[in-house]
């Protein structure tokens, strides 16, 4: 593409999407995320970058998702989706950051530099899929993305309001038609169709009931479940709350993140004792479960619990069909120590611990024949290698009668899984299938192991880069003396564990602690926070130890 044809890049920026803020913005695990009014020029430029990325990938389709996920309504964000439905390749995060922050006057020359750097053939066709969440700012931002795609002569296709995982799925299908049909309807046919097929083969019994309450976080996930609900028949009775009406605000006092962090039931949900409730997040890529007991105490079934349930059920099916495959589970340091112990000692499943961030978990899960990964916040999925799929398919066709039956169930379970990214809707169906197969309600699921009490705190510091870590963020390497102090503090508590890590987005240090009682976990976290404050340049008031 000759330089003269790049002039439209500047023209679109100047006339329609000018950079009006000097606030520096960085591409992270979740893409760009900030107040929506600071994002229009950024999203326009991501339209440009998506076209360049598509051409580097020989014209394969790239995705742009407009969402701020579990953040509150005034925020918004944008992230790019690579051809296989995965997160943007990490080496391109710096390119995205550079393009987002240059002045309008330098935009044309920077775009030209990037095209040369990545050796993009600008004569190739380029395809970009665009989706958005339910925020009132999303349509305007989606329009900016479209203009960015058009400015570099790419072809945009708008999907309107979809969950983030549906767009990931559609991008994957567009580039690999063996995975499915690249439409929202194709997604339902694959995921929901597999759920209905598998549930027809599973009798409902034991403590399991087909009624499931769902907190939709006043976002897109609840709206899509409302569409799906009609096709489920007697297999699953969804009772939906927080669908965005009656003045409910997106993610405000509801949704997966609120439930996980506050350890409180969301507003807007009517509860019965022991009734299973699933809470989605605003863009439908996270899910946690909980129930209230007869004293209205909340019992949380988070990402760790979901991971152990799915790994346990898949292990059961693998054993029944005789498949010799390596299944592993991937966690972060935030996973409760009791879950790790249960997985390794009871399930006899290997565990890999990685740095916080879905891209790290996803890549580590690919090392196994079957890799289960979840963050404690409820974001995760299961990945199956081609070897695993072929092995199970062969058993389903050629094995003994009982082996064929179990392999057939596992093939439907694979079909029900959105392997591209964590998906609240797909994960919901995976959980409900595992519980039904075992005749378990939420209480029986909870009884698999007992979580260690834990506490998370954050300490404001002058510069978060003063903190460095290693060993999947479990060991602090700087400032000098901090790790030694943490180890001294931990040694004073039964079942004690603690780590610190710098935030990826703000000048705070996150502190996590576990111990045998809640009082001890609270005290240990406060003592570690105080050590961080003293040794890493704390700002403001010192952390207070609990009385």
């Amino acid at each position: 593409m000759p330089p003269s044809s790049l002039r439209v890049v500047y023209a679109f920026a100047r006339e329609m999407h000018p950079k009006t803020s000097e606030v520096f913005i960085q591409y992270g695990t979740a893409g760009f995320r900030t107040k929506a009014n600071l994002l229009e020029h950024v999203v326009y430029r991501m339209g440009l970058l998506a076209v360049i990325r598509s051409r580097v990938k020989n014209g394969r389709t790239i995705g742009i998702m407009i969402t701020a996920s579990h953040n509150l309504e005034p925020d918004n964000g944008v992230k790019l989706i690579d051809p296989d439905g995965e997160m943007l390749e990490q080496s391109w995060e710096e390119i995205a950051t550079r393009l987002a922050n240059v002045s309008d006057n330098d935009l044309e020359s920077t775009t030209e530099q990037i095209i040369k750097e990545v050796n993009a053939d600008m004569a190739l066709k380029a395809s970009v899929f665009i989706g958005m969440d339910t925020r009132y700012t999303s349509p305007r931002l989606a329009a900016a993305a479209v203009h960015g795609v058009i400015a570099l002569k790419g072809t945009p296709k708008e999907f309107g309001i979809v969950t983030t995982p549906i767009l990931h799925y559609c991008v994957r299908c567009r580039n690999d038609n063996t995975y499915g049909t690249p439409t929202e309807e194709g997604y339902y046919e694959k995921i929901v169709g597999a759920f209905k097929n598998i549930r027809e083969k599973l009798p409902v019994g034991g403590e399991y009931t087909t009624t499931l309450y769902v907190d939709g976080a006043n976002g897109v996930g609840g709206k899509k479940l409302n569409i799906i609900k009609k096709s489920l028949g007697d297999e699953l009775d969804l009772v939906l709350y927080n669908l965005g009406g009656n003045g409910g605000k997106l993610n405000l006092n509801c949704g997966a993140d609120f439930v996980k962090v506050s350890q409180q039931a969301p507003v807007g949900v009517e509860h019965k004792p022991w009734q299973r409730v699933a809470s989605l997040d605003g863009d439908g890529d996270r899910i946690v479960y909980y129930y209230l007991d007869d004293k209205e105490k909340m019992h949380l079934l988070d990402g760790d619990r979901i991971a152990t349930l799915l790994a346990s059920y898949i292990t059961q099916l693998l054993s029944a069909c005789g498949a010799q495959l390596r299944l592993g589970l991937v966690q972060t340091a935030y996973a409760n120590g009791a879950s790790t112990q249960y997985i390794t000692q009871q399930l006899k499943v290997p565990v890999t611990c990685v740095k916080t961030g879905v891209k790290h978990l996803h890549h580590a899960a690919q090392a196994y024949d079957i890799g289960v990964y979840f963050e404690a916040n409820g974001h995760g999925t299961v990945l199956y290698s081609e070897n695993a799929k072929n092995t199970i398919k062969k058993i389903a066709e050629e094995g003994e009668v009982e082996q064929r039956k179990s392999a057939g169930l596992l093939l439907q379970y694979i079909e029900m899984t959105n392997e591209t990214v964590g998906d609240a809707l797909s994960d919901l169906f995976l959980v409900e299938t595992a519980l039904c197969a075992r005749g378990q309600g939420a209480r029986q699921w909870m009884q698999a192991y007992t979580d260690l009490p834990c506490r998370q705190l954050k300490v404001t510091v002058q510069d978060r880069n003063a903190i460095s870590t290693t060993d999947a963020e479990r060991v602090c390497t700087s400032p000098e003396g901090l790790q030694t102090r943490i180890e001294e503090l931990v040694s004073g508590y039964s079942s004690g564990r603690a780590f610190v890590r710098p935030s990826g987005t703000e000048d705070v240090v996150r502190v996590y602690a576990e111990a045998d009682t809640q009082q001890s976990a609270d005290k240990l976290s406060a003592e570690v926070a105080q050590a961080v404050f003293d040794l890493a340049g704390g700002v403001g008031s010192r952390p207070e130890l609990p009385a």
Side-chain angles (χ1 to χ4, degrees):
M1 181 176 280
S4 61
S5 61
L6 289 179
R7 284 178 192 152
V8 70
V9 166
Y10 172 65
F12 259 118
R14 184 192 62 204
E15 298 298 328
M16 302 187 74
H17 311 293
K19 184 174 184 285
T20 57
S21 166
E22 293 306 311
V23 174
F24 181 81
I25 184 165
Q26 187 167 2
Y27 197 106
T29 298
F32 294 107
R33 192 171 293 178
T34 186
K35 296 301 178 197
N37 60 0
L38 301 175
L39 272 173
E40 192 169 330
H41 75 281
V42 175
V43 178
Y44 166 67
R45 293 160 184 221
M46 289 309 98
L48 303 174
L49 191 64
V51 172
I52 297 169
R53 181 73 175 156
S54 175
R55 287 177 173 141
V56 166
K57 291 293 183 179
N58 295 316
R60 297 177 82 202
T61 296
I62 299 295
I64 297 178
M65 185 67 199
I66 312 294
T67 183
S69 188
H70 57 279
N71 288 34
L72 296 178
E73 203 161 79
D75 294 340
N76 215 320
V78 59
K79 66 174 182 175
L80 268 60
I81 301 168
D82 259 355
D84 290 336
E86 297 180 8
M87 304 281 192
L88 177 67
E89 184 182 307
Q90 194 167 352
S91 64
W92 279 60
E93 292 179 8
E94 180 276 326
I95 298 172
T97 299
R98 194 184 351 150
L99 188 62
N101 288 286
V102 297
S103 69
D104 286 337
N105 287 334
D106 292 332
L107 181 59
E108 188 178 331
S109 60
T110 302
T111 302
E112 188 176 0
Q113 283 170 12
I114 290 169
I115 290 168
K116 287 178 180 174
E117 268 176 43
V118 299
N119 198 26
D121 181 354
M122 299 304 280
L124 290 173
K125 289 183 178 180
S127 165
V128 181
F129 283 3
I130 300 167
M132 62 182 178
D133 68 14
T134 56
R135 286 174 168 80
Y136 64 90
T137 53
S138 291
R140 179 171 54 82
L141 295 178
V146 168
H147 290 157
V149 174
I150 291 170
L152 284 183
K153 296 185 165 53
T155 303
K157 179 174 180 178
E158 294 187 79
F159 282 73
I161 294 173
V162 288
T163 68
T164 294
I166 287 177
L167 192 70
H168 279 257
Y169 166 88
C170 289
V171 169
R172 167 76 176 265
C173 293
R174 179 65 180 79
N175 295 306
D176 173 11
N177 60 16
T178 67
Y179 195 70
T181 306
T183 62
E184 189 175 327
E185 294 72 24
Y187 170 90
Y188 298 144
E189 286 170 14
K190 179 181 169 77
I191 305 288
V192 183
F195 172 74
K196 290 167 71 176
N197 287 340
I198 201 170
R199 285 293 287 264
E200 286 170 3
K201 299 176 179 70
L202 296 175
V204 175
E207 296 292 318
Y208 183 79
T209 62
T210 57
T211 301
L212 174 67
Y213 290 6
V214 181
D215 157 30
N218 295 311
V220 61
K223 292 181 185 299
K224 299 307 181 187
L225 275 182
N226 209 17
I227 295 169
I228 292 169
K229 177 183 162 114
K230 301 175 182 65
S231 67
L232 294 175
D234 297 332
E235 307 301 343
L236 193 61
D237 176 23
L238 298 176
V239 184
L240 305 176
Y241 298 93
N242 295 332
L243 297 183
N246 303 318
K249 295 282 189 183
L250 182 69
N251 295 319
L252 182 62
N253 299 324
C254 62
D257 193 61
F258 171 80
V259 171
K260 170 66 178 168
V261 173
S262 72
Q263 305 273 311
Q264 296 177 53
V267 300
V269 180
E270 298 172 23
H271 293 94
K272 290 181 183 175
W274 318 114
Q275 173 62 52
R276 290 192 314 288
V277 189
S279 273
L280 318 179
D281 72 337
D283 69 330
D285 67 358
R286 292 183 183 186
I287 184 171
V288 298
Y289 276 71
Y290 72 90
Y291 64 91
L292 301 186
D293 63 22
D294 52 2
K295 295 182 175 59
E296 296 199 355
K297 180 185 176 185
M298 195 187 87
H299 300 263
L300 178 66
L301 295 139
D302 62 6
D304 295 340
R305 297 275 179 180
I306 294 171
T308 53
L309 176 70
L310 303 192
S312 177
Y313 181 55
I314 294 168
T315 300
Q316 181 183 327
L317 289 176
L318 286 173
S319 176
C321 72
Q324 299 297 311
L325 295 168
R326 187 162 178 261
L327 181 142
L329 204 143
V330 185
Q331 296 183 317
T332 70
Y334 284 108
N336 196 278
S339 74
T340 311
Q341 192 172 31
Y342 171 73
I343 295 157
T344 54
Q345 296 183 11
Q346 299 294 317
L347 299 182
K348 308 294 185 188
V349 168
V351 172
T352 302
C353 186
V354 298
K355 286 172 63 175
T356 304
V358 174
K359 61 191 173 192
H360 303 301
L361 288 105
H362 192 92
H363 291 145
Q366 291 172 326
Y368 295 103
D369 284 319
I370 300 176
V372 181
Y373 75 82
F374 271 83
E375 292 186 295
N377 62 28
H379 191 288
T381 189
V382 187
L383 305 183
Y384 303 87
S385 68
E386 284 307 309
N387 175 52
K389 290 174 183 175
N390 292 335
T391 300
I392 296 161
K393 189 176 180 183
K394 188 173 182 182
I395 295 170
E397 293 169 352
E398 301 174 8
E400 301 293 334
V401 174
E402 288 304 312
Q403 288 180 325
R404 289 205 307 268
K405 186 178 172 184
S406 294
L409 288 174
L410 192 44
L411 286 176
Q412 290 298 328
Y413 210 66
I414 293 170
E415 190 76 359
M416 205 194 309
T417 308
N418 186 346
E419 295 181 68
T420 65
V421 74
D423 181 344
L425 306 190
S426 167
D427 291 340
L428 181 151
F429 293 126
L430 294 174
V431 167
E432 292 301 313
T433 299
L435 292 176
C436 179
R438 297 179 154 194
Q440 290 184 341
R443 273 188 289 181
Q444 290 72 37
W445 178 13
M446 180 64 85
Q447 287 165 2
Y449 61 87
T450 303
D451 276 324
L452 286 165
C454 62
R455 178 65 64 203
Q456 292 186 46
L457 297 175
K458 61 183 180 180
V459 181
T460 303
V461 291
Q462 290 173 358
D463 178 12
R464 68 179 184 270
N465 296 315
I467 296 278
S468 300
T469 64
T470 188
D471 189 21
E473 302 177 312
R474 291 176 291 189
V475 175
C476 182
T477 53
S478 68
E480 189 176 346
L482 181 54
Q483 183 60 32
T484 302
R485 180 64 183 137
I486 291 170
E487 290 169 5
E488 288 172 355
L489 292 168
V490 166
S491 68
Y493 292 88
S494 178
S495 301
R497 181 171 78 96
F499 68 90
V500 302
R501 55 178 289 270
S503 164
T505 54
E506 53 186 325
D507 281 324
V508 301
V509 177
R510 304 196 185 280
V511 175
Y512 178 91
E514 287 176 358
D516 61 338
T517 68
Q518 191 63 56
Q519 185 180 12
S520 293
D522 291 347
K523 194 162 186 285
L524 175 57
S525 66
E527 289 172 346
V528 172
Q530 198 162 76
V532 170
F533 187 92
D534 292 340
L535 296 172
V539 174
S541 57
R542 290 165 58 85
E544 291 186 14
L545 294 177

